Amino acid sequence: MALSVAVLMDPIGAIKVAKDTSFAMLLEAQRRGHQLYYLEQGDLAVRDGTPWARMASLQVKDDPSAWFTLGQAQWRDLRELDVVLMRKDPPVDPQFVYDTMVLELAQRAGVKVINDPQALRDCNEKLYALNFPQCIVPTLVSRDAGELRRFAAEHGEVVLKPLDGMGGRGIFRVKAGDSNLNSMLETLLAGGPHGEGRQFTIAQKYIPEISAGDKRILLIDGEPVPYALARIPQGNEFRGNLAAGGRGVGVPLSERDRWIAAQIAPELRRRGLLFVGLDVIGDYLTEINVTSPTCVRELDAQFGLNIAGQLFDVVESVITGSRTA
């Protein structure tokens, strides 16, 4: 059956075609005969309680020199659509939260929104992993610089990061007693005039196995793709993020990876999180990515997969009511 599928994403003209997961989804949807529509964050509106969007018909082509064609943008009732792919990158700021509220109005009318709008609000990508303490490394989330310093002293070497970052931005690796620790905490906590922190900071015990890569494990409706993309730091860089220069190498899932996925999967399904990326370093879960997980194109290319096809198999089964519980 042909579906109407809209994608809310960052500007499509600025994507890297060979690496963009949203683009992989669009290619697959078009291959299946679905009608595509495109909109950006500024294109949402609510009229008398009805969700609307200014959207343009979209055609895509796997061509790095000319990968999309847009029709004339027009305002439409979002409730007329079958599926909305919410693929706006973080930060999950107030505007992002407001977007989820508009999309929730469409969801209540029967539109399938991926991922679930309420889950996008509730599942901070750094904090949500703390719901699975059996899977994580020692972790502290605090606004208190003294507590964070004590945590660093306890574990010797830690990674500090903000709760709303992506792509490796704002992440620090530091040893206890490092003369730069106070400055890092001031930056991350956005300290007030009396030394109080205004922003949460997360501290995790440093995992030396990062040298072998920060693995991105993709789950579709709770089922893990059998290969992960290990994002391996290069040179003197400790961050494996591809945006920070990491090299992506596909690897089969380990038994520990599968165990971690199995621990988390039932809760993901309960919350309507159909497409999720787990970040695993060594034996430990570090993040659960729910907003716009990536690495589909790389894994497809390395292993001959069609991960977006797996996702749309699930989407179509949800629409037709044939999805298994």
Side-chain angles (χ1 to χ4, degrees):
M1 61 181 298
L3 303 175
S4 53
V5 178
V7 61
L8 194 165
M9 60 186 289
D10 293 293
I12 193 170
I15 66 173
K16 296 179 180 178
V17 171
K19 295 184 176 183
D20 195 271
T21 290
S22 300
F23 187 67
M25 294 178 180
L26 293 171
L27 285 170
E28 178 62 19
Q30 180 176 274
R31 187 187 70 79
R32 293 178 177 229
H34 302 323
Q35 175 64 56
L36 300 181
Y37 296 95
Y38 169 83
L39 62 149
E40 297 178 17
Q41 190 169 45
D43 294 322
L44 289 176
V46 181
R47 299 183 182 182
D48 301 322
T50 300
W52 282 69
R54 180 175 49 204
M55 63 184 85
S57 61
L58 170 66
Q59 293 182 321
V60 289
K61 182 168 58 172
D62 202 358
D63 179 347
S65 63
W67 59 92
F68 71 101
T69 303
L70 289 175
Q72 182 67 39
Q74 297 180 333
W75 287 98
R76 288 187 55 181
D77 187 335
L78 267 176
R79 299 174 302 177
E80 298 173 358
L81 299 172
D82 295 305
V83 179
V84 174
L85 302 173
M86 176 48 163
R87 295 286 301 172
K88 175 73 180 66
D89 283 341
V92 180
D93 56 14
Q95 298 307 313
F96 186 104
V97 171
Y98 302 151
D99 291 343
T100 67
M101 293 176 177
V102 177
L103 293 175
E104 198 164 35
L105 294 174
Q107 182 188 57
R108 291 173 187 168
V111 180
K112 184 61 184 177
V113 181
I114 304 168
N115 279 316
D116 180 88
Q118 180 176 337
L120 291 176
R121 294 195 296 272
D122 290 348
C123 301
N124 175 273
E125 300 193 330
K126 308 294 192 296
L127 287 177
Y128 187 42
L130 305 187
N131 286 276
F132 307 94
Q134 71 274 30
C135 300
I136 65 173
V137 76
T139 301
L140 171 68
V141 180
S142 179
R143 293 188 178 96
D144 187 284
E147 283 300 304
L148 291 162
R149 282 193 293 268
R150 279 188 284 274
F151 183 86
E154 177 185 356
H155 294 287
E157 189 168 10
V158 299
V159 172
L160 304 170
K161 50 190 173 182
L163 292 186
D164 62 352
M166 65 167 290
R169 291 194 293 270
I171 297 180
F172 300 95
R173 172 186 171 188
V174 62
K175 293 183 178 180
D178 190 305
S179 59
N180 291 309
L181 178 57
N182 285 340
S183 178
M184 293 175 187
L185 291 175
E186 288 172 6
T187 299
L188 288 165
L189 295 169
H194 305 294
E196 73 277 13
R198 293 197 293 251
Q199 296 179 176
F200 271 127
T201 290
I202 185 167
Q204 294 174 322
K205 180 181 178 180
Y206 175 68
I207 307 170
E209 289 84 355
I210 183 63
S211 61
D214 179 355
K215 287 183 285 189
R216 167 61 54 81
I217 300 170
L218 296 175
L219 277 70
I220 297 172
D221 199 21
E223 290 294 323
V225 173
Y227 300 93
L229 193 74
R231 297 159 297 175
I232 301 173
Q234 301 297 292
N236 294 324
E237 177 61 72
F238 79 95
R239 297 170 298 173
N241 308 77
L242 299 181
R247 179 171 60 92
V249 177
V251 295
L253 297 191
S254 68
E255 287 303 311
R256 174 69 177 186
D257 295 335
R258 292 182 181 277
W259 179 84
I260 290 172
Q263 295 294 300
I264 299 165
E267 184 65 11
L268 298 181
R269 293 196 86 197
R270 186 186 73 81
R271 288 181 175 270
L273 291 165
L274 291 188
F275 187 68
V276 171
L278 308 182
D279 288 350
V280 173
I281 301 174
D283 287 337
Y284 299 102
L285 173 72
T286 60
E287 295 184 15
I288 300 177
N289 294 269
V290 301
T291 52
S292 55
T294 59
C295 299
V296 161
R297 294 282 269 174
E298 294 91 337
L299 288 171
D300 280 355
Q302 291 188 38
F303 297 105
L305 304 176
N306 180 9
I307 297 171
Q310 294 176 248
L311 175 63
F312 269 93
D313 284 346
V314 173
V315 171
E316 290 171 1
S317 72
V318 170
I319 298 296
T320 61
S322 61
R323 177 195 184 207
T324 56

